[in-house]
C-alpha cells in the first residue's frame, strides 16, 4: 500500500541533514507542521511552515515541556484511515492526517556524560518526542516515522526517487527503527534511575550492530552489538571475526592489569605467553619463548608503542591480530606488509562495571573481576619468606591466572610465563600440563612461582610442584585441608602465600 506524503510533522533537536529534506518536501508540495527551533530553522530556508500552536490553539507551555501533546496532533498520527469512524472524527475536529512524522529525542545520554546535575539530566528526559515516535510507529500502515538522523538518507530516496510515496514495507522498517530508538532511550533512563540497583532488573540496549562473517564456526551466524570505535581503531587487515573479538577482549583485559612494558600472546581466550620487561622488544622476545608453537596464528597484545625492532621480530611468524596503544610509522608500514593481518590500536578503556552471559533461558550478570593484588595483600603461611623479586613473580603469576580458564595453574619466573595448565577438570591435571609445557620448551622450574586460581583440596599439587623445582606458591586458601599443603611447604622450605581471592573463570 502506497501512501503519498501530504502532511508532515517535523520537530527535531538535531538540525544537521534537515535542510535537503525540508527542501524536497517543499518541492513536492507537502504541508509542513512544526514548532520552536525546528520551525525557525525551516522558515529561514524560505519554506512556509504551519505552526503547531496555531493548529492546537495552545502555545508551548511549562517552559517547553508541553508543545505537541494534543489530540489534534496525535489524532492526525493515530487515525486509522480504513475506518470510517476515525475519518469522520478527523473531519469533524479539523485534524490534518500526518503521513510523515520526523521527530528525534533530547540528548539524555550525552547530557549524562557531561554533568552530574540531576536537574539538567531530568530535563533531558523527552516526553512528547517519545510519544510522537511511538504513535507514528504504531500506525505504520499510514504514517512514515523518521526517528534518527541515520534514516535521513533513506527518507531522501523516498522523496526524490519515489516522489514522496512510501511503501508499506518501508514504513514498517522505519517503525522498527523507531522502537529501537525509544527502547534504547528508555533503557538508558531506567539505568540512571536504578544506578543503586534497588530494583533487581537489567536493561541492556545497543542500537549499533554488525553482522560478522559467522559465529564461532562457519555454520553459525554471528553478530557484534556495540561501538568498537570507542575502544579500538582498526589500522589494517581483514574484518574482525567472532573468535577474533573474543581473543581481543581476553588480551586487552589481561594487559589492563600490567603497568610495566608487557606482551601477552592469546590463543582461544587463554594466555600462552606473557612477559614483563624494561623494553617492549625484550617483553615480546620472552613472551614468544613461553610457547612459540601456540603463538602461531595468535593474538598479540602490547601495552607500549611498537617500534621497528620489535615489529621486525614479530613479522617473522604468522600473527593474526596485533593490538597496541600506538605504532611507530616505520613499524606500522612493515607490519602492513601482510595483507590480512589485523592491526588494532587501543583508543579507550574497557568498562569496569559488569559482565553479562547468556545461560539457559536467561542471563547471568556479575561484577567484573577487577582485583589486582599488591604485595601487602599477600598473607605468608610458612616461615620461609619470599624475596622482593620473588613476590613480584608471585603477583605476576596471579595476574595471569586470573585471566585463564579454570581449573588453571600458572608457573612463572623472572616475570615470564614458563608453563600454563588451563581448562582442566582437576587442579592436578592443570599442574601436570603446566609442568609439561615448561619442559617442552626447556625452562628450568627451579625457584619458579606457582599460582592457582583456587585452593588446593589436597597436598598433592604442592608435592608435585616441589619435585619439579618450584619453591614459591600463591593461592586463595580456604580448603579444610589447607594445613596439609601448608605443612608440606613448611617442611620443604617452600614459601606459600594466601590471598583470600579466588579467580575462577568459566
Amino acid at each position: 500500500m502506497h501512501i503519498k506524503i501530504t502532511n508532515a510533522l517535523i520537530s527535531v533537536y538535531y538540525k544537521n541533514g534537515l535542510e535537503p529534506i525540508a527542501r524536497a518536501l517543499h518541492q513536492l508540495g507537502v504541508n509542513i507542521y512544526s514548532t520552536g527551533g525546528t520551525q525557525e530553522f525551516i522558515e529561514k530556508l524560505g519554506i512556509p511552515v504551519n505552526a503547531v500552536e496555531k493548529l492546537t490553539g495552545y502555545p508551548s507551555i511549562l517552559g517547553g515541556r508541553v508543545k505537541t501533546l494534543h489530540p489534534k496532533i496525535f489524532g492526525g498520527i493515530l487515525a486509522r484511515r480504513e475506518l470510517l469512524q476515525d475519518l469522520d472524527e478527523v473531519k469533524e475536529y479539523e485534524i490534518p492526517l500526518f503521513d510523515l512524522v520526523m521527530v528525534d529525542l533530547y540528548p539524555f545520554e550525552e547530557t549524562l556524560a557531561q554533568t552530574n546535575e540531576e536537574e539538567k539530566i531530568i530535563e533531558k528526559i523527552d516526553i512528547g518526542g517519545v510519544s510522537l515516535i511511538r504513535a507514528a510507529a504504531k500506525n505504520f500502515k499510514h504514517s512514515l516515522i523518521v526517528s534518527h538522523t541515520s534514516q535521513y538518507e533513506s527518507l531522501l530516496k523516498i522523496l526524490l526517487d519515489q516522489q514522496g510515496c512510501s511503501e508499506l514495507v518501508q514504513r514498517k522498517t522505519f517503525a522498527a527503527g523507531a522502537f529501537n530508538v525509544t527502547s534504547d532511550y528508555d533503557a538508558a533512563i531506567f539505568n540512571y534511575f536504578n544506578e543503586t540497583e534497588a530494583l533487581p532488573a537489567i536493561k541492556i540496549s545497543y542500537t549499533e550492530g554488525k553482522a560478522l562473517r559467522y559465529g564461532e564456526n562457519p555454520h553459525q551466524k554471528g553478530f557484534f552489538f556495540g561501538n568498537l570505535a570507542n575502544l579500538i581503531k582498526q589500522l589494517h587487515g581483514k574484518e574482525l571475526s567472532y573468535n577474533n573479538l573474543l581473543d581481543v577482549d581476553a588480551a586487552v583485559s589481561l594487559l589492563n592489569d600490567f603497568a610495566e612494558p608487557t606482551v601477552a600472546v592469546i590463543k582461544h581466550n587463554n594466555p600462552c605467553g606473557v612477559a614483563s620487561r624494561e623494553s617492549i622488544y625484550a617483553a615480546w622476545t620472552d613472551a614468544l619463548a613461553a610457547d612459540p608453537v601456540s603463538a602461531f596464528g595468535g593474538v598479540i597484545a602490547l601495552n607500549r608503542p611498537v617500534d621497528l625492532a620489535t615489529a621486525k621480530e614479530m613479522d617473522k611468524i604468522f600473527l593474526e591480530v596485533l593490538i597496541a596503544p600506538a605504532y611507530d610509522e616505520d613499524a606500522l608500514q612493515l607490519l602492513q606488509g601482510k595483507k590480512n593481518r589485523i592491526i588494532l590500536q587501543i583508543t579507550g578503556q574497557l568498562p569496569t562495571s559488569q559482565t553479562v552471559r547468556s545461560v539457559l533461558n536467561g542471563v547471568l550478570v556479575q561484577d567484573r573481576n577487577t582485583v589486582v593484588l599488591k604485595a601487602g595483600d599477600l598473607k605468608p603461611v610458612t616461615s620461609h619468606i619470599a624475596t622482593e623479586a620473588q613476590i613480584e613473580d608471585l603477583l605476576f603469576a596471579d595476574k595471569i591466572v586470573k585471566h585463564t580458564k579454570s581449573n588453571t595453574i600458572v608457573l612463572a619466573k623472572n616475570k615470564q610465563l614458563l608453563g600454563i595448565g588451563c581448562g582442566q577438570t582437576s587442579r592436578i591435571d592443570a599442574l601436570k600440563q603446566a609442568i609439561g609445557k615448561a619442559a617442552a620448551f626447556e625452562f628450568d622450574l627451579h625457584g619458579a612461582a606457582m599460582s592457582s586460581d583456587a585452593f588446593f583440596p589436597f597436598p598433592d599439587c604442592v608435592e608435585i610442584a616441589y619435585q619439579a623445582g618450584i619453591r614459591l606458591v600463591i593461592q586463595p586458601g580456604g580448603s579444610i585441608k589447607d594445613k596439609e599443603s601448608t605443612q608440606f611447604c613448611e617442611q620443604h622450605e617452600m614459601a606459600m602465600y594466601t590471598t583470600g581471592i579466588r579467580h575462577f573463570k568459566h
Side-chain angles (χ1 to χ4, degrees):
M1 180 173 60
H2 289 78
I3 297 289
K4 182 171 179 59
I5 300 172
T6 303
N7 297 309
L9 174 65
I10 306 177
S11 179
V12 293
Y13 186 89
Y14 298 103
K15 310 301 188 294
N16 50 305
L18 177 59
E19 181 177 346
I21 291 172
R23 293 194 184 281
L25 289 170
H26 182 54
Q27 286 291 324
L28 291 168
V30 174
N31 298 311
I32 298 175
Y33 292 79
S34 190
T35 184
T38 307
Q39 178 183 348
E40 292 178 14
F41 179 88
I42 297 173
E43 287 177 337
K44 284 181 180 179
L45 299 176
I47 297 172
V49 178
N50 299 293
V52 165
E53 291 84 353
K54 186 175 180 181
L55 173 64
T56 63
Y58 279 88
S60 173
I61 62 173
L62 305 182
R65 279 191 165 196
V66 179
K67 290 182 285 190
T68 54
L69 294 168
H70 193 279
K72 280 204 169 184
I73 299 297
F74 282 88
I77 296 172
L78 288 167
R80 294 160 293 185
R81 303 180 192 184
E82 72 276 15
L83 297 183
L84 289 176
Q85 181 180 343
D86 283 15
L87 293 178
D88 287 343
E89 290 178 352
V90 163
K91 184 177 180 180
E92 179 183 355
Y93 296 107
E94 299 181 332
I95 299 173
L97 294 173
F98 292 112
D99 316 293
L100 170 66
V101 176
M102 277 187 70
V103 177
D104 61 12
L105 301 174
Y106 291 159
F108 177 79
E109 288 187 273
E110 291 89 334
T111 304
L112 198 59
Q114 295 168 1
T115 182
N116 293 321
E117 292 184 46
E118 185 175 87
E119 187 175 341
K120 289 184 177 180
I121 294 169
I122 297 301
E123 283 305 308
K124 285 299 184 285
I125 297 178
D126 206 315
I127 303 300
V130 171
S131 302
L132 291 167
I133 290 171
R134 289 177 62 86
K138 177 178 179 177
N139 204 28
F140 69 90
K141 288 184 179 180
H142 307 292
S143 292
L144 177 65
I145 174 61
V146 178
S147 55
H148 196 271
T149 55
S150 61
Q151 299 172 315
Y152 284 10
E153 185 178 346
S154 298
L155 173 60
L156 265 176
K157 287 183 179 180
I158 292 173
L159 299 178
L160 300 177
D161 298 345
Q162 299 172 206
Q163 289 73 51
C165 293
S166 65
E167 298 176 3
L168 180 61
V169 66
Q170 292 173 322
R171 294 193 298 277
K172 193 168 185 178
T173 299
F174 274 77
F179 287 119
N180 185 31
V181 167
T182 59
S183 62
D184 180 68
Y185 196 75
D186 285 340
I189 294 169
F190 168 81
N191 289 330
Y192 168 72
F193 278 92
N194 198 44
E195 60 183 344
T196 61
E197 299 179 355
L199 295 177
I202 181 171
K203 307 290 182 188
I204 300 172
S205 179
Y206 291 105
T207 57
E208 297 178 72
K210 64 175 292 185
L212 304 173
R213 295 197 301 273
Y214 47 80
E216 281 188 286
N217 301 292
H219 65 278
Q220 296 170 275
K221 288 184 179 179
F223 300 86
F224 174 80
F225 296 98
N227 188 355
L228 274 180
N230 289 339
L231 182 64
I232 58 175
K233 178 181 180 182
Q234 183 161 351
L235 305 178
H236 182 73
K238 61 184 179 181
E239 281 192 6
L240 284 161
S241 70
Y242 185 100
N243 293 327
N244 289 154
L245 287 166
L246 288 174
D247 284 337
V248 167
D249 178 74
V252 174
S253 296
L254 190 152
L255 273 194
N256 206 40
D257 288 348
F258 289 87
E260 57 192 314
T262 302
V263 174
V265 183
I266 302 294
K267 202 72 176 287
H268 296 293
N269 302 170
N270 288 305
C272 58
V274 185
S276 295
R277 293 290 181 263
E278 290 186 1
S279 73
I280 206 68
Y281 177 91
W284 159 249
T285 301
D286 290 341
L288 176 64
D291 189 346
V293 175
S294 295
F296 182 85
V299 171
I300 315 302
L302 310 89
N303 65 354
R304 292 293 190 280
V306 179
D307 56 27
L308 181 60
T310 306
K312 284 181 178 179
E313 292 302 312
M314 290 194 296
D315 195 51
K316 291 178 180 179
I317 67 171
F318 168 56
L319 306 173
E320 186 158 14
V321 183
L322 291 175
I323 316 164
Y327 300 82
D328 289 353
E329 188 175 341
D330 50 3
L332 180 60
Q333 186 175 358
L334 173 68
L335 294 169
Q336 288 174 329
K338 300 291 193 300
K339 182 175 119 178
N340 289 327
R341 178 183 287 156
I342 298 169
I343 303 176
L344 306 176
Q345 181 179 2
I346 303 170
T347 58
Q349 291 292 322
L350 275 176
T352 58
S353 52
Q354 295 176 322
T355 63
V356 181
R357 186 174 180 177
S358 62
V359 60
L360 299 176
N361 62 344
V363 296
L364 290 171
V365 182
Q366 67 171 350
D367 294 338
R368 283 185 182 270
N369 184 357
T370 57
V371 172
V372 179
L373 297 174
K374 299 178 182 178
D377 299 319
L378 308 189
K379 177 185 176 184
V381 292
T382 57
S383 60
H384 189 70
I385 302 299
T387 65
E388 186 176 331
Q390 290 172 331
I391 290 291
E392 289 185 359
D393 278 344
L394 289 169
L395 294 172
F396 175 87
D398 189 75
K399 289 176 183 176
I400 299 172
V401 89
K402 166 186 163 183
H403 294 279
T404 307
K405 299 289 186 182
S406 299
N407 288 303
T408 182
I409 294 287
V410 167
L411 307 178
K413 185 166 65 174
N414 298 327
K415 297 183 183 178
Q416 179 186 21
L417 175 62
L418 303 184
I420 192 166
C422 56
Q424 299 302 302
T425 52
S426 76
R427 198 153 306 285
I428 197 166
D429 284 343
L431 174 57
K432 289 177 179 178
Q433 184 186 50
I435 293 172
K437 279 281 188 181
F441 299 108
E442 300 181 349
F443 285 113
D444 181 7
L445 290 177
H446 285 83
M450 174 175 72
S451 177
S452 174
D453 61 334
F455 62 60
F456 299 115
F458 304 100
D460 47 9
C461 281
V462 291
E463 292 168 2
I464 294 171
Y466 176 77
Q467 293 168 5
I470 295 161
R471 296 295 181 266
L472 305 164
V473 181
I474 183 171
Q475 54 120 346
S479 169
I480 58 174
K481 294 189 177 182
D482 268 352
K483 191 174 181 181
E484 294 181 21
S485 295
T486 303
Q487 283 180 340
F488 181 89
C489 289
E490 183 67 35
Q491 292 166 3
H492 294 81
E493 297 185 345
M494 298 173 71
M496 177 182 280
Y497 290 80
T498 59
T499 65
I501 301 293
R502 191 178 72 182
H503 286 310
F504 269 172
K505 190 171 188 286
H506 296 104

